[in-house]
Amino acid sequence: MVGLTILGILFVPIAIAIKLDDPGPIFFTQERYGLLGRPFQIRKFRTMVTNAEKLKHLVANEADGFIFKNKNDFRVTRIGRFLRSTSLDELPQFWNVLLGEMSLVGTRPPTADEVIKYNQFHWQRLRVKPGLTGEWQANGRSHIQEFEQVVNLDLQYQHKWHPLYDLWLIVKTIYVILAKVGAF
């Protein structure tokens, strides 16, 4: 509820900034996969131009494996860079938490183009609900460039899980966001 309150307060200024920077929808919605591979629609504030998916083939993938990253992706808007570096683009995911599709802490929710390539080892990361934050977000964010490292961090989280560890990851994530560590 606290997250939804923050979203409610920041919604109007963020929505106006997105619209002024690049006309189009305020939200980006994408199918992701959660607990045991169940599909759900994730919501984020839009940080890229409206036709970003059609332009993806023009951007080099700087990551190894099944994830896609590019530090200087031309598709990211000016306000989008700010939203990403502050993680404000993630605020609408509190709605996913309220619906029970995600939790506050968990694994990174993969996309369809990632899941289709999974082997049995990779599927283990979907034994828990995806989260707004987790090992990957608190301990690396955009500095992690290898998919296998993301999987290992997700599995490490599952082995370490404890309510106090979740609280620790939330606190660490807040620090990482405020200190602007590892986001682009």
Short mmCIF file of all heavy atoms in Angstrom, two decimals, residues 11 35 38 44 51 55 60 67 90 98 116 140 142 147 162 170 184:
data_model
loop_
_atom_site.label_atom_id
_atom_site.label_comp_id
_atom_site.label_asym_id
_atom_site.label_seq_id
_atom_site.Cartn_x
_atom_site.Cartn_y
_atom_site.Cartn_z
N PHE A 11 2.50 9.86 -9.88
CA PHE A 11 1.94 9.51 -11.17
C PHE A 11 1.78 10.71 -12.10
O PHE A 11 2.23 10.68 -13.25
CB PHE A 11 0.59 8.79 -11.01
CG PHE A 11 -0.07 8.51 -12.33
CD1 PHE A 11 0.34 7.42 -13.08
CD2 PHE A 11 -1.06 9.33 -12.83
CE1 PHE A 11 -0.24 7.16 -14.31
CE2 PHE A 11 -1.65 9.07 -14.06
CZ PHE A 11 -1.23 7.98 -14.80
N LEU A 35 6.03 -17.00 -11.11
CA LEU A 35 6.10 -18.25 -10.36
C LEU A 35 5.69 -19.44 -11.22
O LEU A 35 4.63 -19.44 -11.83
CB LEU A 35 5.19 -18.15 -9.13
CG LEU A 35 5.13 -19.37 -8.21
CD1 LEU A 35 6.49 -19.63 -7.58
CD2 LEU A 35 4.08 -19.15 -7.13
N ARG A 38 4.24 -18.94 -14.92
CA ARG A 38 2.93 -18.37 -15.25
C ARG A 38 3.10 -16.99 -15.87
O ARG A 38 3.77 -16.13 -15.31
CB ARG A 38 2.07 -18.24 -14.00
CG ARG A 38 1.58 -19.58 -13.50
CD ARG A 38 0.55 -19.40 -12.37
NE ARG A 38 0.56 -20.61 -11.57
CZ ARG A 38 0.92 -20.67 -10.30
NH1 ARG A 38 1.27 -19.58 -9.66
NH2 ARG A 38 0.91 -21.81 -9.67
N LYS A 44 5.22 -0.82 -16.37
CA LYS A 44 6.29 0.12 -16.02
C LYS A 44 5.93 1.45 -16.66
O LYS A 44 5.17 1.50 -17.63
CB LYS A 44 7.63 -0.33 -16.59
CG LYS A 44 8.19 -1.60 -16.03
CD LYS A 44 9.56 -1.86 -16.63
CE LYS A 44 10.21 -3.08 -16.03
NZ LYS A 44 11.63 -3.17 -16.39
N ASN A 51 7.90 3.09 -30.65
CA ASN A 51 8.16 1.96 -31.56
C ASN A 51 9.48 1.26 -31.25
O ASN A 51 10.13 0.72 -32.13
CB ASN A 51 8.13 2.45 -33.02
CG ASN A 51 9.18 3.51 -33.29
OD1 ASN A 51 9.71 4.12 -32.38
ND2 ASN A 51 9.47 3.72 -34.56
N LEU A 55 12.59 -1.22 -33.42
CA LEU A 55 13.94 -0.70 -33.64
C LEU A 55 15.02 -1.52 -32.92
O LEU A 55 16.20 -1.23 -33.05
CB LEU A 55 14.01 0.76 -33.16
CG LEU A 55 13.05 1.74 -33.82
CD1 LEU A 55 13.10 3.09 -33.11
CD2 LEU A 55 13.39 1.89 -35.30
N ALA A 60 22.90 -2.91 -30.65
CA ALA A 60 23.78 -4.05 -30.31
C ALA A 60 23.53 -4.48 -28.87
O ALA A 60 23.40 -3.65 -27.98
CB ALA A 60 25.23 -3.65 -30.48
N ILE A 67 19.67 -12.16 -21.91
CA ILE A 67 19.19 -10.83 -21.56
C ILE A 67 19.70 -9.82 -22.58
O ILE A 67 20.69 -10.06 -23.27
CB ILE A 67 19.61 -10.41 -20.12
CG1 ILE A 67 21.13 -10.50 -19.95
CG2 ILE A 67 18.88 -11.23 -19.10
CD1 ILE A 67 21.62 -9.98 -18.62
N GLU A 90 9.83 1.69 -12.33
CA GLU A 90 9.36 0.44 -11.74
C GLU A 90 8.13 0.61 -10.83
O GLU A 90 7.50 -0.38 -10.46
CB GLU A 90 10.48 -0.21 -10.92
CG GLU A 90 11.81 -0.34 -11.63
CD GLU A 90 11.89 -1.45 -12.63
OE1 GLU A 90 10.98 -2.31 -12.63
OE2 GLU A 90 12.85 -1.48 -13.41
N LEU A 98 0.24 -6.01 -5.71
CA LEU A 98 -1.11 -6.04 -5.15
C LEU A 98 -1.95 -7.18 -5.75
O LEU A 98 -2.70 -7.84 -5.04
CB LEU A 98 -1.81 -4.70 -5.37
CG LEU A 98 -3.22 -4.58 -4.79
CD1 LEU A 98 -3.15 -4.56 -3.26
CD2 LEU A 98 -3.91 -3.33 -5.29
N ILE A 116 11.83 -18.91 -23.71
CA ILE A 116 11.79 -19.90 -24.79
C ILE A 116 13.14 -20.62 -24.96
O ILE A 116 13.20 -21.73 -25.47
CB ILE A 116 11.30 -19.26 -26.11
CG1 ILE A 116 10.83 -20.32 -27.07
CG2 ILE A 116 12.38 -18.39 -26.72
CD1 ILE A 116 10.05 -19.76 -28.24
N GLY A 140 24.16 -5.37 -8.19
CA GLY A 140 24.78 -5.25 -9.49
C GLY A 140 24.04 -4.39 -10.48
O GLY A 140 24.63 -3.67 -11.26
N SER A 142 22.70 -2.77 -13.50
CA SER A 142 23.12 -2.78 -14.90
C SER A 142 24.56 -3.21 -15.12
O SER A 142 24.99 -3.42 -16.24
CB SER A 142 22.90 -1.39 -15.51
OG SER A 142 21.52 -1.09 -15.53
N PHE A 147 23.82 -13.36 -18.50
CA PHE A 147 22.58 -14.01 -18.08
C PHE A 147 22.84 -15.07 -17.01
O PHE A 147 22.09 -15.18 -16.05
CB PHE A 147 21.88 -14.63 -19.28
CG PHE A 147 20.67 -15.42 -18.90
CD1 PHE A 147 19.53 -14.80 -18.44
CD2 PHE A 147 20.68 -16.81 -18.98
CE1 PHE A 147 18.41 -15.53 -18.07
CE2 PHE A 147 19.57 -17.55 -18.62
CZ PHE A 147 18.44 -16.90 -18.16
N HIS A 162 14.89 -15.64 3.63
CA HIS A 162 14.40 -15.49 4.99
C HIS A 162 13.74 -14.11 5.03
O HIS A 162 14.20 -13.20 4.35
CB HIS A 162 15.58 -15.58 5.97
CG HIS A 162 15.15 -15.60 7.39
ND1 HIS A 162 14.86 -14.45 8.10
CD2 HIS A 162 14.95 -16.63 8.25
CE1 HIS A 162 14.51 -14.77 9.33
NE2 HIS A 162 14.56 -16.09 9.45
N ILE A 170 15.70 -5.07 0.61
CA ILE A 170 14.91 -3.85 0.39
C ILE A 170 15.73 -2.62 0.82
O ILE A 170 15.83 -1.64 0.08
CB ILE A 170 13.57 -3.91 1.13
CG1 ILE A 170 12.65 -4.94 0.46
CG2 ILE A 170 12.89 -2.54 1.17
CD1 ILE A 170 11.39 -5.28 1.25
N PHE A 184 21.62 2.32 -15.58
CA PHE A 184 21.63 3.13 -16.81
C PHE A 184 20.41 2.82 -17.61
O PHE A 184 19.68 1.91 -17.37
CB PHE A 184 22.90 2.96 -17.64
CG PHE A 184 23.21 1.56 -18.12
CD1 PHE A 184 22.58 1.05 -19.24
CD2 PHE A 184 24.15 0.78 -17.49
CE1 PHE A 184 22.88 -0.23 -19.70
CE2 PHE A 184 24.47 -0.48 -17.95
CZ PHE A 184 23.82 -0.98 -19.05
#
